[in-house]
Amino acid sequence: MSEKIRVYITQEEVENRIQQMADRISSEFAGKTVHLVGILKGSVMFMSELAKRLTIPVTMDFMSCSSYGSGTVSKGIVKITKDLDEPIEGKDVILIEDIVDSGNTLAYLIQVFKTRKPASFMICTLLDKPSRRVRPEVKVDHTCFTIEDHFVVGYGLDYDQKYRNLPYIGIVEFE
Ligand code: IMP
Ligand code: MG
């Protein structure tokens, strides 16, 4: 089966929205240093575009998680496969996600981060698909785009590890 990618959110729209979010975070955290934590690999492009636009001091770290389930159905069992390099205690942490779907990954990570005593903790995501949420307790602080239930790629997001490098967000169409 081959697939085609249809542009859903253009590069210009994505970058304008990231700029708005960066401005908001820079003023919200004026006088502080924010510690960005990216969830690999999907958040990498969003995190770097956001970080470049922040006018406050920034530090960065990364974590990698896997979620188990059969096929495309997540069972909500999440495991950390690469932990942070640095402790987050006392830091103003912003967790950076590519997309919040079922919410299982974040539901787990919120618990993990709480036990590590950051000074503050916030969640920032490029995309949110609220119609797919199975963990309503997961509250996202900043969302660039709320989208319908489409499988999207680009700007860090993959289909079968492909298309992460697209500079726009596209919908996968199978032919
Ligand atoms: P959740 O635990 O179901 O919220 O899973 C979120 C993760 O699933 C994201 O970080 C992505 O890696 C992946 N994911 C969910 N929806 C999409 C999509 O439309 N395209 C690509 N990856 C997706
Ligand atoms: Mg992810």
Side-chain angles (χ1 to χ4, degrees):
M1 194 161 46
S2 72
E3 68 263 4
K4 226 172 55 185
I5 310 300
R6 177 162 59 85
V7 178
Y8 183 48
I9 308 174
T10 66
Q11 178 171 5
E12 192 186 2
E13 287 175 301
V14 176
E15 288 172 3
N16 287 341
R17 189 73 184 103
I18 294 176
Q19 182 65 56
Q20 288 176 354
M21 187 170 287
D23 292 343
R24 190 165 161 190
I25 293 171
S26 295
S27 60
E28 217 169 305
F29 288 90
K32 294 182 175 174
T33 296
V34 286
H35 189 62
L36 304 182
V37 171
I39 306 305
L40 294 170
K41 310 173 186 111
S43 71
V44 165
M45 207 169 291
F46 172 44
M47 179 152 145
S48 63
E49 292 300 319
L50 181 71
K52 283 194 280 183
R53 292 168 173 83
L54 292 172
T55 55
I56 48 173
V58 170
T59 55
M60 295 183 189
D61 206 346
F62 293 94
M63 187 183 253
S64 195
C65 303
S66 64
S67 102
Y68 293 100
S70 57
T72 55
V73 184
S74 165
K75 286 202 184 106
I77 304 160
V78 182
K79 203 181 126 189
I80 296 173
T81 53
K82 182 227 169 283
D83 206 341
L84 300 174
D85 292 334
E86 311 281 342
I88 57 166
E89 186 168 351
K91 294 179 183 167
D92 290 301
V93 173
I94 306 183
L95 188 70
I96 309 289
E97 258 289 25
D98 52 355
I99 187 165
V100 187
D101 189 30
S102 68
N104 284 326
T105 308
L106 277 181
Y108 173 74
L109 290 180
I110 289 166
Q111 296 311 314
V112 170
F113 277 64
K114 265 191 194 161
T115 65
R116 299 187 184 184
K117 303 187 173 65
S120 66
F121 178 70
M122 173 188 274
I123 298 168
C124 197
T125 185
L126 178 62
L127 301 167
D128 187 6
K129 268 198 261 189
S131 61
R132 301 247 310 163
R133 197 78 89 251
V134 299
R135 305 295 292 255
E137 75 274 23
V138 169
K139 302 278 184 264
V140 180
D141 300 284
H142 291 317
T143 301
C144 287
F145 299 96
T146 299
I147 63 167
E148 300 294 318
D149 184 11
H150 300 296
F151 193 84
V152 289
V153 293
Y155 236 89
L157 292 119
D158 73 301
Y159 167 65
D160 207 10
Q161 297 302 324
K162 294 180 291 186
Y163 309 116
R164 292 191 194 275
N165 61 314
L166 295 180
Y168 55 86
I169 293 163
I171 296 179
V172 185
E173 288 175 344
F174 298 96
E175 355 189 69

